[in-house]
Amino acid sequence: MYMQGLNKVVFYISFPLSFIAFIFPIYASSLGVSVVEIGFLYTIFSIVSILIRPIVGNMIDKKGRKKGLIIGVALYALVNILYSIAVDYRYLLIARILQSIAASFLWISIDAAVSDISSKENRAQNFGILDQSQIKGELLGITIAFTILYNNFFENPFSKIFMVYFITSIASLFYAFKSVPETLDYKKDIESGMLKNSKHMRYFLIAMGIISFISSLTAPIYLIYLQQNIASELHLISYLFLPSAILSMFLPRRFGIYADKYGREKVIVIGMLLSAVLQIFVPFVRAYYPFMIIYTLISVVSMFYSPAFSSIIIDFVGENKRGRSYGLYSFASGIGGALGTLVGTYVYENIGNSIVFYLQGSLLVTAIVSIYFIYNKIKSNEVRYNEEVFIHSGGTDYTQQ
């Protein structure tokens, strides 16, 4: 029942997300913003996240997930208004700062709430269900946007598009108030995590920061790369994403079930290694339809491991103070994301637009292999720790009680 209400919140608030991600570099460029400034707009998003997300995590552990959810949705509504009236770099800067704050409240609250109501047996599945709701909202939102853009209905189409998104964000806010209960005290039995000490926690946060850094290398330049190398017209670029968008409406939940059943760690390692290899091949594919195929493969691989990745955070840190755990994870990933966008735009503009994909793929392979080695070390330490507890307790396995 809880997932139904949360699905509606996620569905309506997701309308602008793909469109912003898709059109933002071009929209900013049309207002006279340089590539480096676009990179800074991505970076400021991450910097604000670094500062606020640990605070948000602690707050929702004390005040509740629902309050954080409502704050996030309300701020997203304000962001849509700002985008609708933006005329220069200053408006975009303010909108990105508020968008980062909104995202911090919204997604940390959602992640913590899903973990509140989930167990190890269905956690990835529940994240997969929300992924599908998000994709459905994004797909409908971007369809509405491009319908307005392509048919020249209005003199200032971007303003009208974001006003539509403002209306859908109000619908999301309505369901956040009406249909989503508080889950802070939902789960009484707390599962312990794999990280038994602060040293292990530091390893985990460093690993999350590294992965975020690598993943962010191509974020601000991907659409620019497509315009320069694959297709210059927006409608042709939008068709490149269509197959993956259709698949994403039903695959994440199935992949989540698979991860819960066969092991989230294996799914993440296999998925990220496949993603790394595919990223390396991106610069070799310059024809339109072959690129559509490789992009679809990259997207499907991402769908394969994303639900597992979202749920494994709690597997590591445990279910006590779930908001704080996602806040710390977001803090680490925010630092990595900020550095990644800066490095990615610099490499793209000064070294070569193909090099950034080679760099991303090779670094991801190296990182995943290294992190998997550290993970196995932590896991072996956990087994040793449990054996010591068993021995010192006189043969009573308190870890199972």
Side-chain angles (χ1 to χ4, degrees):
M1 191 71 178
Y2 176 84
M3 290 297 294
Q4 292 179 359
L6 195 57
N7 277 337
K8 291 180 180 178
V9 173
V10 171
F11 172 74
Y12 285 110
I13 204 63
S14 298
F15 271 53
L17 299 185
S18 274
F19 183 71
I20 292 174
F22 180 81
I23 207 72
F24 186 78
I26 294 176
Y27 185 32
S29 181
S30 70
L31 296 176
V33 180
S34 69
V35 173
V36 173
E37 287 175 328
I38 292 172
F40 180 75
L41 288 172
Y42 279 86
T43 300
I44 196 65
F45 184 98
S46 299
I47 290 173
V48 173
S49 298
I50 292 168
L51 297 174
I52 196 171
R53 290 193 175 192
I55 299 172
V56 171
N58 284 318
M59 192 205 83
I60 65 172
D61 276 336
K62 296 176 181 178
K63 303 296 183 180
R65 319 320 190 186
K66 184 168 184 174
K67 289 181 180 177
L69 184 69
I70 290 171
I71 291 171
V73 174
L75 286 175
Y76 262 119
L78 180 58
V79 168
N80 288 324
I81 292 177
L82 284 173
Y83 276 129
S84 73
I85 63 174
V87 294
D88 57 27
Y89 178 77
R90 291 172 298 176
Y91 282 84
L92 297 182
L93 180 62
I94 295 171
R96 288 294 285 179
I97 291 171
L98 287 178
Q99 187 181 349
S100 180
I101 298 172
S104 298
F105 275 99
L106 179 68
W107 300 113
I108 292 176
S109 299
I110 288 174
D111 287 343
V114 172
S115 294
D116 289 342
I117 67 167
S118 303
S119 65
K120 285 186 175 181
E121 288 71 32
N122 68 353
R123 187 175 292 135
Q125 178 184 352
N126 284 339
F127 277 110
I129 291 171
L130 283 184
D131 286 347
Q132 289 182 184
S133 295
Q134 180 180 339
I135 293 297
K136 289 175 182 177
E138 291 181 15
L139 186 58
L140 184 54
I142 204 167
T143 301
I144 292 171
F146 281 115
T147 300
I148 294 174
L149 282 176
Y150 293 154
N151 290 279
N152 298 316
F153 290 147
F154 304 100
E155 184 177 344
N156 187 355
F158 286 107
S159 176
K160 303 305 182 294
I161 289 168
F162 283 107
M163 286 309 298
V164 171
Y165 294 157
F166 170 73
I167 294 171
T168 61
S169 63
I170 294 300
S172 180
L173 188 61
F174 169 78
Y175 284 111
F177 273 108
K178 178 178 179 292
S179 303
V180 179
E182 180 55 64
T183 65
L184 183 60
D185 298 321
Y186 183 89
K187 188 176 289 185
K188 301 300 181 183
D189 298 323
I190 303 298
E191 299 172 3
S192 62
M194 292 175 57
L195 306 181
K196 301 301 182 182
N197 54 54
S198 59
K199 183 179 179 181
H200 289 169
M201 187 64 175
R202 286 196 299 270
Y203 284 153
F204 173 75
L205 294 177
I206 290 170
M208 295 301 100
I210 290 172
I211 291 175
S212 179
F213 169 82
I214 298 169
S215 301
S216 300
L217 287 170
T218 58
I221 54 87
Y222 208 91
L223 191 58
I224 297 172
Y225 176 85
L226 293 183
Q227 277 194 309
Q228 293 176 348
N229 297 278
I230 307 300
S232 58
E233 299 180 24
L234 275 179
H235 72 281
L236 291 176
I237 294 176
S238 66
Y239 295 152
L240 290 171
F241 304 112
L242 186 59
S244 61
I246 294 172
L247 292 172
S248 64
M249 289 192 291
F250 60 88
L251 284 181
R253 176 179 174 274
R254 289 171 172 81
F255 286 146
I257 294 173
Y258 182 89
D260 285 331
K261 185 176 181 180
Y262 295 104
R264 293 186 274 270
E265 304 94 332
K266 295 177 182 177
V267 167
I268 291 170
V269 171
I270 294 171
M272 286 193 165
L273 287 176
L274 286 174
S275 179
V277 172
L278 289 170
Q279 289 290 349
I280 293 173
F281 277 99
V282 166
F284 292 100
V285 182
R286 297 297 179 97
Y288 185 83
Y289 289 106
F291 186 88
M292 179 185 288
I293 292 172
I294 195 169
Y295 178 81
T296 302
L297 289 173
I298 291 172
S299 298
V300 170
V301 170
S302 178
M303 295 174 216
F304 176 65
Y305 71 79
S306 288
F309 193 86
S310 296
S311 61
I312 203 172
I313 297 167
I314 293 299
D315 292 348
F316 271 92
V317 300
E319 295 189 331
N320 188 31
K321 295 187 180 299
R322 290 177 281 272
R324 179 176 180 273
S325 299
Y326 279 105
L328 288 173
Y329 156 72
S330 298
F331 171 78
S333 62
I335 294 175
L339 295 174
T341 53
L342 286 175
V343 172
T345 51
Y346 178 84
V347 171
Y348 187 87
E349 210 171 42
N350 296 282
I351 300 178
N353 56 23
S354 297
I355 299 298
V356 68
F357 292 98
Y358 301 145
L359 181 65
Q360 185 178 58
S362 57
L363 285 178
L364 191 56
V365 170
T366 304
I368 293 304
V369 172
S370 302
I371 290 168
Y372 190 64
F373 173 78
I374 296 172
Y375 164 78
N376 283 329
K377 185 177 179 180
I378 292 175
K379 196 167 186 178
S380 65
N381 289 339
E382 180 196 20
V383 172
R384 193 180 304 115
Y385 172 85
N386 289 336
E387 288 175 349
E388 290 175 357
V389 170
F390 181 80
I391 292 170
H392 290 133
S393 63
T396 303
D397 190 354
Y398 291 111
T399 64
Q400 300 300 318
Q401 296 184 6

